[in-house]
Amino acid sequence: MAAIPESELIINKNGTVYHLNLLPEHISDTIITVGDPDRVAMVSRYFDEIEIEVAKREFITHTGYYKGKRLTVISTGMGTDNIDILMNELDALVNIDFQSREPNEEKIKLKIVRVGTSGSLQESIPLGSHVASHYGVGLDSLMEFYPLEQTADEQSITNTLKEQLGVSFTPYCVPGSKMLIDKLAFDMIPGNTLTCPGFYAPQGRVLRGGLRNQNLLQVYQDFKVCDFQLTNFEMETAGYYAMGRLLGHEMLSLNAIVANRITQEFAKNAEEVVDSLIRKTLDRI
């Protein structure tokens, strides 16, 4: 493969990758991601030692050791547009030679675990639950620009959802890493997570902007293809899973349920729910 031009892979003057501001040696091959930059310190406070702290824009990175294992935690901000940046630049750090600008012959497979908040779409999934995303279903447009391959079963799910939503675009559907599910999420609620391109109308919230589809939340709740049902929604999971498939990385999204949109409840102890998921994830990693 020809060298990747400077305009396509942008490297800062100090040798770091453009947005993340990181060098290859700054990250571990096991990475915890969080949306909120303030949540990075909620994870790294449990580290025995922090060796690297880097901050640029919404991307805050801490790398250190937890019980002898080197880990990286990094914030992404909200939305799959940021996941596009994060995943491409993390992959570049481990799989592209910054001197020659050519991909390495031997590829490194990162293990990336999202720990984030989410809202339940089913009354049976209560506040305080931990849901592991066995599948991510994307309503955003990110995969309109990538050659993502879908299985027949995945296409059946997304085509049915497209029809029921009455939208012009086709959603996408990708599974999480079975290896990471078995290791980290064996006793968590198995879920199929809907990734929305916004927090308000795309998730059926009505403030002053209104809502085109007044039954949107009901469509999400009632959606079913065989035994496939949507359990929860947020704003990043499907982007992670799709980019993981494209780039060859192991991906898992773990969700702290802090809202139940069907019962219209919000957790009064949301920070505790997130913290318990962080500690569980660290111990199992």
Side-chain angles (χ1 to χ4, degrees), residues 169-207:
F169 63 89
T170 301
Y172 58 98
C173 176
V174 185
S177 164
K178 187 177 185 307
M179 180 271 288
L180 290 177
I181 289 171
D182 290 345
K183 181 177 181 179
L184 305 180
F186 49 85
D187 60 352
M188 297 184 192
I189 297 173
N192 300 310
T193 300
L194 187 68
T195 294
C196 298
F199 184 77
Y200 288 96
Q203 294 187 25
R205 287 184 173 90
V206 183
L207 300 184

Side-chain angles (χ1 to χ4, degrees), residues 24-251:
E25 58 265 31
H26 286 164
I27 63 169
S28 167
D29 65 354
T30 302
I31 299 170
I32 295 172
T33 64
V34 294
D36 184 352
D38 289 340
R39 202 171 290 150
V40 172
M42 288 180 64
V43 178
S44 67
R45 67 182 174 180
Y46 292 113
F47 286 5
D48 305 316
E49 172 192 352
I50 299 175
E51 63 171 311
I52 292 162
E53 296 184 50
V54 175
K56 187 176 182 184
R57 305 188 190 191
E58 58 267 70
F59 301 108
I60 310 297
T61 304
H62 291 180
T63 294
Y65 292 86
Y66 180 78
K67 295 184 178 179
K69 184 173 180 64
R70 191 169 188 256
L71 297 174
T72 294
V73 55
I74 184 169
S75 61
T76 67
M78 292 182 286
T80 57
D81 49 348
N82 281 2
I83 303 309
D84 174 67
I85 293 171
L86 176 88
M87 289 296 297
N88 275 293
E89 294 195 3
L90 285 178
D91 181 76
L93 286 170
V94 297
N95 288 320
I96 297 176
D97 185 315
F98 280 16
Q99 299 302 314
S100 67
R101 294 181 161 273
E102 295 178 355
N104 301 328
E105 286 190 21
E106 292 189 17
K107 302 299 188 294
I108 292 174
K109 186 186 290 284
L110 295 171
K111 295 177 285 294
I112 301 173
V113 181
R114 170 192 173 270
V115 175
T117 55
S118 183
S120 172
L121 280 165
Q122 303 299 331
E123 191 170 350
S124 59
I125 301 177
L127 300 181
S129 301
H130 294 161
V131 173
S133 303
H134 285 224
Y135 279 86
V137 179
L139 295 182
D140 60 293
S141 62
L142 183 60
M143 287 304 117
E144 295 292 317
F145 301 91
Y146 284 98
L148 179 71
E149 295 183 1
Q150 300 269 265
T151 67
D153 286 344
E154 291 163 2
Q155 288 178 338
S156 174
I157 291 166
T158 57
N159 287 334
T160 303
L161 184 58
K162 175 182 180 179
E163 180 182 345
Q164 293 189 11
L165 288 174
V167 293
S168 58
F169 63 89
T170 301
Y172 58 98
C173 176
V174 185
S177 164
K178 187 177 185 307
M179 180 271 288
L180 290 177
I181 289 171
D182 290 345
K183 181 177 181 179
L184 305 180
F186 49 85
D187 60 352
M188 297 184 192
I189 297 173
N192 300 310
T193 300
L194 187 68
T195 294
C196 298
F199 184 77
Y200 288 96
Q203 294 187 25
R205 287 184 173 90
V206 183
L207 300 184
R208 293 187 60 249
L211 195 63
R212 177 176 290 186
N213 183 347
Q214 301 299 320
N215 297 315
L216 185 62
L217 202 58
Q218 195 70 50
V219 173
Y220 293 160
Q221 182 189 10
D222 294 344
F223 178 77
K224 202 165 189 179
V225 176
C226 297
D227 60 351
F228 187 99
Q229 184 180 33
L230 298 172
T231 54
N232 62 301
F233 52 7
E234 45 70 85
M235 295 175 61
E236 291 91 34
T237 294
Y240 274 120
Y241 285 12
M243 293 303 298
R245 173 178 281 181
L246 288 163
L247 297 171
H249 301 296
E250 300 283 351
M251 314 296 304

Side-chain angles (χ1 to χ4, degrees), residues 254-265:
L254 302 177
N255 304 271
I257 301 299
V258 298
N260 188 303
R261 294 296 304 290
I262 307 308
T263 62
Q264 297 186 321
E265 298 173 289

